[in-house]
C-alpha cells in the first residue's frame, strides 16, 4: 500500500499564494500518475491538476495559469503552487497516486489517497 500525506494548507486572503506538498511512501511502480483533487463544501470532489511519469500535465480551466503542479520523484514529493487564490478555491485538498493514465483529472485511475489539507481563502 502507498501512504500519502498532504501539508501546507492554511487560511489566506484573496490574491495570496500557498504551496501544498504531498509526500508519498511505499510506491514501487515506475509508471504512475499523481493528482490533486479538492472538495468544497456542498460540492463534489474535483480533479484539477495531474501529472504522470510520461511528463504529461493537465489542469482544469479554473486553475490554469494560477496553479502549478510539479514532482520531485527522487524525494517522492508532489507539489502544488497556488497563486492568486480566490474564495472559490476554498476546499479540502487531496493528493492521490494511481495507474498511469492520460485521464489525469478523473478519480478512477487513482487508488491511494491522502487525508487532505484544508485551504481557506478569505475575501
Amino acid at each position: 500500500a502507498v501512504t500519502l500525506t498532504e501539508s501546507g494548507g492554511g487560511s489566506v486572503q484573496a490574491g495570496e499564494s500557498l504551496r501544498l506538498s504531498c509526500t508519498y511512501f511505499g510506491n514501487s511502480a515506475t509508471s504512475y500518475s499523481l493528482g490533486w483533487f479538492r472538495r468544497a463544501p456542498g460540492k463534489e470532489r474535483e480533479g484539477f491538476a495531474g501529472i504522470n511519469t510520461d511528463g504529461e500535465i493537465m489542469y482544469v480551466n479554473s486553475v490554469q495559469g494560477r496553479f502549478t503542479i510539479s514532482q520531485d520523484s527522487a524525494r517522492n514529493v508532489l507539489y502544488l503552487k497556488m497563486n492568486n487564490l480566490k474564495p472559490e478555491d476554498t476546499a479540502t485538498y487531496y493528493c492521490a497516486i494511481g495507474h498511469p493514465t492520460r485521464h489525469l483529472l478523473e478519480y478512477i485511475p487513482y487508488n491511494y489517497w491522502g487525508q487532505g489539507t484544508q485551504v481557506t481563502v478569505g475575501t
Side-chain angles (χ1 to χ4, degrees), residues 31-38 45-60 69 71 78 94-110 113:
S31 296
Y32 52 90
S33 298
L34 290 161
W36 284 103
F37 293 75
R38 63 187 180 183
R45 176 177 45 186
E46 172 192 38
F48 63 89
I51 186 171
N52 63 25
T53 46
D54 289 333
E56 296 175 307
I57 293 175
M58 186 176 293
Y59 299 98
V60 71
I69 187 172
Q71 178 193 9
L78 177 70
Y94 303 87
C95 60
I97 190 170
H99 303 294
T101 181
R102 301 188 70 183
H103 303 283
L104 292 165
L105 305 186
E106 299 180 15
Y107 70 88
I108 289 178
Y110 297 93
W113 296 78

Side-chain angles (χ1 to χ4, degrees), residues 15-75:
E16 295 183 342
S17 299
L18 280 174
R19 189 179 80 159
L20 304 184
S21 300
C22 169
T23 304
Y24 51 99
F25 295 99
N27 176 51
S28 60
T30 56
S31 296
Y32 52 90
S33 298
L34 290 161
W36 284 103
F37 293 75
R38 63 187 180 183
R39 176 172 284 164
K43 296 186 177 180
E44 294 187 356
R45 176 177 45 186
E46 172 192 38
F48 63 89
I51 186 171
N52 63 25
T53 46
D54 289 333
E56 296 175 307
I57 293 175
M58 186 176 293
Y59 299 98
V60 71
N61 287 343
S62 62
V63 307
Q64 180 79 47
R66 300 189 298 124
F67 291 9
T68 303
I69 187 172
S70 61
Q71 178 193 9
D72 184 341
S73 57
R75 298 184 177 184

